Each structure stands twice: as C-alpha cells, then as structure tokens.
Amino acid sequence: MRTAGDVVKRVLWDEKIPQECIIVGYLDRFKGILEKPFVDFSWEPFDSLDYFTFGVPEHRIQYFKYKDIIVWDKRFRLDRVFGSSRSTKTIRDVIEKYEKYCITSQDIPDIHFGKMNGNVTFQWDTKTTEDSYSSESQTEGSIIEEIHQEIKRKPNFFICQRIESHVFIEKALRVQSNICETQPYYKDCCIDPKLFHLTLSTVRLEDSSQVSECMQALRQAETILRSFLPTDQLLIKGVSDFHGRVLYAAVEPSKNLNLFVDHLNQILHAAGFCTDSQKKFKPHISLIKITRSVTKQAGTKKINPDLYNEFLNMEFGKFIIDSIHVCAIGKPHDDSGFYRTIGSLCLVNPNAK
C-alpha cells in the first residue's frame, strides 16, 4: 500500500486533482481524529517547520477524502488514490464517478462515522465485490497510547539568550515600523522589544520536580557549557521569514554556535529530557508573527516580501552568548515584560572579542 507521503506528493503535482477538495484526517494530540482541508497544511519537511506553521508528521495522517468520500485510509489499508492494496480504483475514477453521480457516489464504498458508548467508531460500508471485506470498526481507545506519546514529546519550555542590544532594538523597531506603515493591521503582530531572544533549544518538562532537575543538570554542566561558548561575536544580518508567517532577523551561521547548541542538547538528553534537537537549528530573532485573525483582515496568510525587501541585507549588530534562560512556552510574562523564566545561568565569556 502506498504511503501518506506518496498521496501528498500526488495531490501536489497532479493538476487534475483539485487540492481544495481534498480533506485530511489526522490525529490531534488532545482531541483524537480531526479533519482539515489539504490546503491548510504546510507540506514541507516536518522537521523544518516552526511553531507557527501548521503541519503534522506523516504517521499521524489517518485518511484522505475527496469531498466526502474517503480515498485513502491506512487503518483499513484502503487506497483509491493509486489503486494499490485491495482496490483497483484510482483518485481519478473517484472524481469522475463523484461528479457523475452528483455527490451520491452510489457505487463507491465509504467509511461511515458514528458514536457508541461515547466513543467515535468507524464502519466500512462495502457495496462492490472488488472491495468486499467484512465491516470493521475502531474506537479512539486504540490510539490513546500514540496520542500520549505525542504529548510527552511536545516541548513546553525553551532555552534562550536574551537580545537587549540598543543597536539591535533600534533597527528592529525600524523594520516593524516601516512594515506597519504600509500594512497597519500587522501592528498587533509585532514582537515587543522586551521579548527579543535567540532560541537555543526547546525541552519537555512534565512537572515542578523535572523543572528543578533540568536546572540542576544545567548548573552542574556550567563548566562544560562555558568551554563551548562561541568566542567570536555573532552577527545579526538580514531579514527573512518562515513560510510567510514569521518575519525574523537572521543570525549568521556559526559552527561554534552550532557546537554549543549540540552540547546543550546532549546535556539535556543525558539528564533524561526530550528536546526538539531533530529540527534543524536555524538561529533567528523573531520580529513579527502573523496571527490567524490578522490573516483574515489582510486577505492572505503570508507577509508580502515586498514589505521587507529593503532590509534584506541590513546589519542589526553583534552579540555574544553570555547567559541562558529557561522560559515557559505560552505562559504569562513576568514583571520585567519577558517570558516567564524558571531559571537562568550566567555564562560570561571573558574571551569574547
């Protein structure tokens, strides 16, 4: 049977498949199986996505629909996209028959949803001999373990270096101001200067005891972390965006910075914590994050690159890694206006140039 990734590629390149008619059924970590239009997903490699772009790992995709007809379902090994597994029909056959019968699609078997004892059930309606299997059902209870594993892997804290340089703040505000002069509805999407930071890693901490253990592990490794601090100042130059949703000032690549981040993650792993180290580290300082409400006002989900073209080569200044802060994701800010910080570690580097 062809994979979910194969289906995604087929929908992306086959011009005869209307992407706006494809629905994706996927596992949500908290709510079970949900559906979203195919066009609402980013289909770039999942490990390259940031926190503000919607995507799911391939293994969480359960089925694809053409309008209201399921055309691929891994739970029942149904493939009407390529005609593999136990079906000879393809997506084009489904589209042709669907349009011919004007939504009734009487000879196309489907999986019907229902509820039994409070659980969602799935039943396969078999109407043709080529797909005649016995009806099957599955409840959400069979996927609870996978959902729990996903929850355990999701980071809820980030480790960062604060960016408080007056030079950087002045130029960052200039970028924000210029963009908002042209598009005023982006004003509420601008990052407050008190929140400017460089994220070095993210980590999952389950409770207060793990918070204490994490800080203890970092303090015990303070000497090691200092030995891997970049000795050169890091240059902030140019602006770019993540999938048109997050505008950021770019920190120029540095092997020493990457090495420091690698050792930071190793320390966390050795202490038994899960990090997002599988994602490619792309050092940046966020300037604007587009919210869903603003995308509706703007009529587009992406920032127009013309708004920041003049800043593509702007130099925002330099900085050093001299301290790290462990902050809670999505929590209220502290009295200073920065993210809620559970602990900090001073790593003053006397050799910085």
Side-chain angles (χ1 to χ4, degrees):
M1 179 177 173
R2 303 292 284 270
T3 67
D6 293 331
V7 177
V8 170
K9 292 175 184 176
R10 174 68 181 273
V11 175
L12 289 174
W13 68 255
D14 193 335
E15 295 180 354
K16 293 187 177 180
I17 301 177
Q19 294 183 15
E20 66 276 9
C21 295
I22 302 298
I23 305 297
V24 182
Y26 66 98
L27 281 177
D28 179 84
R29 287 183 294 267
F30 303 103
K31 300 179 181 179
I33 294 180
L34 298 179
E35 292 186 351
K36 268 186 179 293
F38 183 90
V39 294
D40 283 0
F41 292 78
S42 171
W43 295 111
E44 298 185 37
F46 185 71
D47 60 2
S48 71
L49 302 184
D50 57 76
Y51 295 112
F52 311 99
T53 304
F54 188 79
V56 294
E58 182 179 329
H59 71 272
R60 282 169 52 194
I61 297 176
Q62 303 300 296
Y63 58 84
F64 293 89
K65 285 183 175 181
Y66 173 75
K67 296 187 177 179
D68 59 346
I69 300 297
I70 291 181
V71 294
W72 184 95
D73 193 313
K74 77 174 183 180
R75 300 161 301 178
F76 302 104
R77 298 189 60 77
L78 171 68
D79 178 11
R80 284 201 177 89
V81 176
F82 297 96
S84 67
S85 189
R86 298 177 290 186
S87 176
T88 59
K89 290 184 178 180
T90 68
I91 182 68
R92 292 186 180 179
D93 296 323
V94 173
I95 293 174
E96 179 184 356
K97 287 183 179 293
Y98 189 99
E99 301 306 326
K100 178 180 178 181
Y101 289 100
C102 299
I103 304 179
T104 60
S105 57
Q106 296 175 355
D107 66 341
I108 302 178
D110 198 1
I111 295 172
H112 301 292
F113 292 77
K115 282 193 174 182
M116 181 178 294
N117 299 325
N119 291 322
V120 176
T121 62
F122 312 95
Q123 186 171 3
W124 199 341
D125 180 16
T126 57
K127 295 183 180 179
T128 63
T129 56
E130 69 180 31
D131 289 305
S132 58
Y133 323 92
S134 59
S135 297
E136 303 180 44
S137 65
Q138 175 183 351
T139 67
E140 286 185 344
S142 64
I143 58 175
I144 290 298
E145 181 59 29
E146 183 174 358
I147 294 173
H148 284 174
Q149 291 303 317
E150 287 291 335
I151 293 173
K152 290 179 181 179
R153 288 192 291 266
K154 183 177 176 62
N156 55 355
F157 288 86
F158 65 96
I159 301 174
C160 70
Q161 163 74 49
R162 294 187 68 169
I163 306 297
E164 301 176 285
S165 160
H166 294 299
V167 174
F168 174 81
I169 292 175
E170 179 183 345
K171 294 188 176 182
L173 289 175
R174 177 184 162 193
V175 174
Q176 293 176 337
S177 176
N178 277 36
I179 290 176
C180 291
E181 283 180 7
T182 305
Q183 302 292 1
Y185 37 70
Y186 286 150
K187 183 176 180 180
D188 292 337
C189 301
C190 292
I191 305 298
D192 190 304
K194 296 186 184 71
L195 300 176
F196 288 148
H197 69 278
L198 168 67
T199 297
L200 300 169
S201 184
T202 57
V203 63
R204 177 77 192 181
L205 304 176
E206 299 292 348
D207 49 38
S208 58
S209 64
Q210 287 200 355
V211 168
S212 298
E213 291 170 7
C214 176
M215 289 309 305
Q216 182 179 4
L218 292 175
R219 291 190 181 102
Q220 289 177 345
E222 182 176 342
T223 302
I224 297 175
L225 288 172
R226 284 185 176 180
S227 68
F228 284 101
L229 277 175
T231 55
D232 294 330
Q233 291 185 327
L234 302 170
L235 176 64
I236 310 170
K237 181 178 180 180
V239 296
S240 188
D241 67 77
F242 288 123
H243 314 295
R245 302 294 296 274
V246 178
L247 184 72
Y248 64 85
V251 177
E252 289 213 324
S254 163
K255 291 183 179 179
N256 289 334
L257 176 59
N258 289 341
L259 190 61
F260 175 78
V261 170
D262 286 344
H263 279 81
L264 174 61
N265 284 322
Q266 288 175 21
I267 291 167
L268 295 170
H269 292 164
F273 299 114
C274 296
T275 72
D276 246 4
S277 57
Q278 71 272 17
K279 289 188 176 182
K280 183 178 180 181
F281 178 58
K282 192 167 186 177
H284 66 280
I285 303 161
S286 297
L287 303 177
I288 296 177
K289 295 179 181 178
I290 306 303
T291 61
R292 291 186 179 181
S293 60
V294 168
T295 61
K296 293 180 180 179
Q297 297 177 45
T300 177
K301 295 181 179 180
K302 298 184 177 182
I303 301 174
N304 186 341
D306 292 340
L307 295 175
Y308 58 83
N309 271 342
E310 64 180 285
F311 305 111
L312 291 178
N313 295 309
M314 171 182 274
E315 290 196 8
F316 290 82
K318 298 180 179 181
F319 71 101
I320 61 171
I321 304 293
D322 58 10
S323 61
I324 57 175
H325 308 273
V326 182
C327 306
I329 295 175
K331 298 295 183 182
H333 301 161
D334 60 24
D335 293 338
S336 71
F338 193 60
Y339 297 97
R340 181 181 169 191
T341 303
I342 62 168
S344 300
L345 194 64
C346 181
L347 300 172
V348 177
N349 183 2
N351 297 319
K353 298 178 182 179

